[in-house]
Amino acid sequence: MLVHDFQLHVQNDNDIIWKHANDEIYSVATAYKARFLGLTLSPMDFMIWKTWGPPKIKFFA
């Protein structure tokens, strides 16, 4: 990514904000949630993670 026509001004404060949180503060939780933004869930997720086999089979699923 390239930045063109970017100028810093001495009289302006420079702040780094995290746009994925309401309070604009970075946390591991908000980073984890941001990682999955736009992810669509499939109905197959339930079938894969909620198996109905015996425990010794579910362990290897």
Side-chain angles (χ1 to χ4, degrees), residues 42-61:
S42 168
M44 295 297 290
D45 293 344
F46 177 77
M47 294 176 68
I48 293 170
W49 296 111
K50 299 292 182 180
T51 60
W52 50 89
K56 66 180 179 180
I57 301 297
K58 289 169 66 171
F59 179 75
F60 292 103

Side-chain angles (χ1 to χ4, degrees), residues 8-9 12-16:
L8 294 176
H9 299 283
N12 293 349
D13 290 336
N14 295 318
D15 294 325
I16 298 173

Side-chain angles (χ1 to χ4, degrees), residues 18 25-35:
W18 179 246
I25 297 173
Y26 173 84
S27 71
V28 173
T30 58
Y32 184 78
K33 290 176 186 176
R35 165 68 176 89

